[in-house]
């Protein structure tokens, strides 16, 4: 973030277009580099939610699994907030 | 005969960002600085390098006849009259694309490597067969882009492919930089592009009307040692390739006065 971005934010102004360009590029490149189609990413996201939900109670509305990229390295970043503190996170087995 | 010849692919992914202009200017600048240099037009579909160098009327044979062995290499090479250290190997007929293979480009490049210090390959736009043929012959690459989202995205694609092909080093040239727009943060900053693409910056070329004037004449800017900003940039790139330590231009220093200082301040990264 640059000083200008901060000033824009404080004044509620639209960000400078360079800053928008940078954000859009970063997102599109994360997808280009991973070679994952949106459908596959979506399927993976659902399966990850399912697996995690077996162990903890997560807030599906707030949860997000997305691609991020830095220095030509792409990472899958999951942000899955718990709905409430879990007492014993032992897996349900049957 | 040169043993440590360098074969450099000049590519971009996106069309029209300045590959051919860079190849022509860099060819002249390297040759003027004492390196024997050949520029190879690998854009068989839409050849233009001959025109930018003002050599279009002196072509007799092309890469096509060299490959078919109906002429010798030196018969096809077009020597630049004012810069005898520079030669062009023209692209053949567009129909060549139907049969040309990566091995053919490798064969041409290795012939040229035996005679020249620098072999610069002007790559076609795109990432299809034309690119694949050209990349097969390359050892190093210069990726050229402009500070625009579509050009940077396509450059990223090309960098990925260069990595897969084991081309190394890969360096970046940022073309058509407008300092005023950058200062107003209405154009991606130099750091944005180098951070996103994660490549070392070999040079910055400002948007410069003289580029068009020189294209009209078929005399690359570096030929007449003009003092235009782009001419300077091209010759600095040549110097850096040859190992000289030449500092990079800072676009924000191109402008002075209080307003420019305030704009510079506003560009400061705070986190
Ligand atoms: N620094 C610059 N300032 C102004 N104009 C420029 C600059 N660099 C290139 N141009 C102009 O941009 C246009 C495209 O340049 P050029 O033909 O070198 O691109 P290219 O990448 O080789 O295109 P193609 O993909 O079609 O082969 C030309 O009209 C050229 O004059
Ligand atoms: Mg071209």
């Amino acid at each position: 973030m640059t000083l200008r971005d901060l000033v824009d934010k404080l004044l509620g102004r639209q960000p400078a277009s360079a800053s928008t360009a940078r954000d859009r590029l970063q997102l599109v490149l994360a997808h280009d580099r991973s070679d994952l189609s949106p459908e596959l990413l979506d399927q993976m996201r659902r399966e990850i939610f399912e697996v995690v939900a077996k162990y903890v109670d997560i807030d599906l509305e707030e949860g997000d699994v997305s691609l991020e990229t830095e220095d030509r390295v792409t990472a899958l970043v999951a942000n899955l907030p718990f709905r409430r503190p879990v007492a014993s996170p032992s897996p349900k087995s049957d | 005969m040169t043993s440590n010849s360098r074969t450099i692919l000049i590519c971009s992914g996106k069309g029209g960002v300045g590959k051919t202009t860079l190849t022509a200017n860099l060819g002249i600048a390297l040759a003027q600085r004492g390196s024997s240099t050949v520029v190879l037009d690998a854009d068989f579909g839409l050849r233009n390098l001959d025109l930018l160098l003002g050599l279009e009327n002196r072509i007799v044979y092309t890469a096509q006849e060299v490959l078919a062995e109906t002429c010798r290499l030196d018969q096809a090479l077009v020597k630049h009259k004012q810069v005898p250290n520079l030669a062009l190997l023209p692209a053949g007929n567009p129909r060549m694309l139907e049969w040309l293979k990566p091995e053919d480009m490798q064969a041409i490049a290795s012939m040229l490597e035996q005679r020249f210090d620098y072999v610069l390959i002007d790559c076609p736009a795109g990432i299809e067969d034309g690119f694949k043929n050209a990349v097969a012959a390359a050892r190093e690459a210069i990726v050229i882009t402009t500070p625009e989202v579509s050009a940077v995205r396509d450059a990223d694609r090309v960098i990925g492919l260069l990595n897969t092909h084991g081309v190394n080093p890969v360096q970046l040239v940022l073309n058509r930089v407008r300092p005023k727009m950058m200062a107003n943060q209405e154009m991606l900053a130099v750091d944005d592009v180098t951070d996103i693409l994660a490549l070392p910056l070999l040079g910055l070329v400002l948007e410069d009307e003289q580029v068009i004037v020189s294209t009209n004449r078929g005399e690359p800017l570096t030929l007449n040692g003009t003092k235009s900003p782009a001419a300077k940039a091209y010759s600095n790139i040549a110097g850096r390739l040859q190992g000289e330590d030449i500092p990079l231009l800072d676009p924000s220093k191109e402008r002075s006065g209080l307003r420019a200082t305030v704009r510079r301040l506003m560009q400061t990264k705070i986190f």
Side-chain angles (χ1 to χ4, degrees):
Chain A
M1 182 183 254
T2 62
L3 194 53
R4 157 89 185 253
D5 292 335
L6 181 69
V7 171
D8 287 341
K9 218 174 193 157
L10 292 177
L11 298 180
R13 281 199 304 221
Q14 218 190 4
S17 71
S19 156
T20 314
R22 189 167 50 233
D23 295 345
R24 292 178 62 219
L25 257 174
Q26 251 146 6
L27 195 66
V28 79
L29 289 185
H31 285 263
D32 285 357
R33 287 172 184 171
S34 73
D35 241 349
L36 271 176
S37 69
E39 299 89 72
L40 270 179
L41 186 65
D42 206 49
Q43 189 184 337
M44 183 167 68
R45 189 179 284 130
R46 262 182 286 119
E47 289 181 19
I48 290 174
F49 281 171
E50 275 171 33
V51 170
V52 178
K54 282 209 307 208
Y55 298 87
V56 286
D57 194 7
I58 50 172
D59 189 344
L60 290 182
E61 296 295 296
E62 292 294 308
D64 186 31
V65 174
S66 59
L67 295 172
E68 279 178 19
T69 183
E70 211 182 314
D71 270 348
R72 307 200 62 80
V73 178
T74 305
L76 187 70
V77 179
N79 181 4
L80 307 170
F82 295 175
R83 208 188 288 281
R84 57 183 157 74
V86 200
S88 63
S90 61
K92 293 172 202 146
S93 56
D94 32 24
Chain B
M1 179 81 178
T2 67
S3 53
N4 43 6
S5 171
R6 292 173 68 182
T7 305
I8 308 176
L9 182 69
I10 297 174
C11 54
S12 64
K14 187 172 161 65
V17 298
K19 296 176 289 296
T20 308
T21 309
L22 175 64
T23 311
N25 279 286
L26 201 50
I28 300 261
L30 286 168
Q32 280 173 340
R33 292 166 150 265
S35 304
S36 66
T37 304
V38 62
V39 289
L40 166 59
D41 192 348
D43 197 347
F44 296 97
L46 301 162
R47 67 183 215 195
N48 270 326
L49 189 53
D50 53 348
L51 206 54
L52 260 62
L53 285 164
L55 298 175
E56 69 276 15
N57 293 325
R58 300 200 15 231
I59 296 174
V60 184
Y61 298 109
T62 69
Q64 186 173 358
E65 287 79 29
V66 175
L67 276 172
E69 295 183 10
T70 53
C71 82
R72 291 189 318 274
L73 177 61
D74 55 270
Q75 290 177 297
L77 289 172
V78 187
K79 225 188 219 183
H80 198 284
K81 283 214 176 88
Q82 286 138 281
V83 190
N85 244 350
L86 178 73
L88 162 76
L89 182 57
N93 192 296
R95 279 199 308 273
M96 263 181 99
L97 288 170
E98 290 162 19
W99 53 264
L100 195 81
K101 287 191 293 296
E103 300 84 78
D104 296 322
M105 289 298 290
Q106 281 166 343
I108 293 179
S110 55
M111 278 189 257
L112 296 172
E113 281 160 10
Q114 283 167 32
R115 299 196 185 194
F116 295 94
D117 298 327
Y118 284 88
V119 180
L120 305 182
I121 308 178
D122 182 20
C123 191
I127 49 173
E128 291 83 27
D129 288 351
F131 172 79
K132 285 179 188 140
N133 289 335
V135 76
R139 296 177 197 277
E140 313 176 28
I142 298 175
V143 173
I144 177 165
T145 189
T146 59
E148 288 168 87
V149 283
S150 54
V152 175
R153 182 193 196 177
D154 293 355
D156 191 74
R157 263 286 157 81
V158 162
I159 295 165
L161 292 171
L162 291 169
N163 289 344
T164 327
H165 281 86
V167 177
N168 182 33
V170 178
Q171 302 182 84
L172 185 71
V173 167
L174 192 55
N175 192 24
R176 310 196 75 153
V177 168
R178 296 164 184 248
K180 189 173 170 200
M181 287 190 77
M182 274 191 186
N184 289 333
Q185 295 187 48
E186 297 299 351
M187 179 173 255
L188 284 166
V190 179
D191 288 349
D192 290 339
V193 181
T194 53
D195 286 355
I196 288 172
L197 297 178
L199 286 187
L201 190 60
L202 180 64
L204 273 177
V205 186
L206 297 187
E207 174 78 29
D208 184 347
E209 289 176 358
Q210 290 303 313
V211 171
I212 295 164
V213 175
S214 76
T215 310
N216 292 341
R217 298 211 170 98
E219 294 172 359
L221 283 176
T222 43
L223 186 62
N224 303 312
T226 44
K227 285 174 203 72
S228 90
K232 191 112 193 280
Y234 291 127
S235 94
N236 283 348
I237 292 171
R240 288 184 200 110
L241 271 181
Q242 290 171 325
E244 258 181 71
D245 187 15
I246 305 170
L248 284 157
L249 176 119
D250 180 351
S252 65
K253 300 270 158 59
E254 288 298 286
R255 306 170 51 74
S256 53
L258 182 62
R259 287 171 70 112
T261 310
V262 171
R263 287 207 180 96
R264 262 202 297 282
L265 182 71
M266 296 299 274
Q267 285 181 80
T268 317
K269 286 238 159 66
I270 47 180
F271 55 82

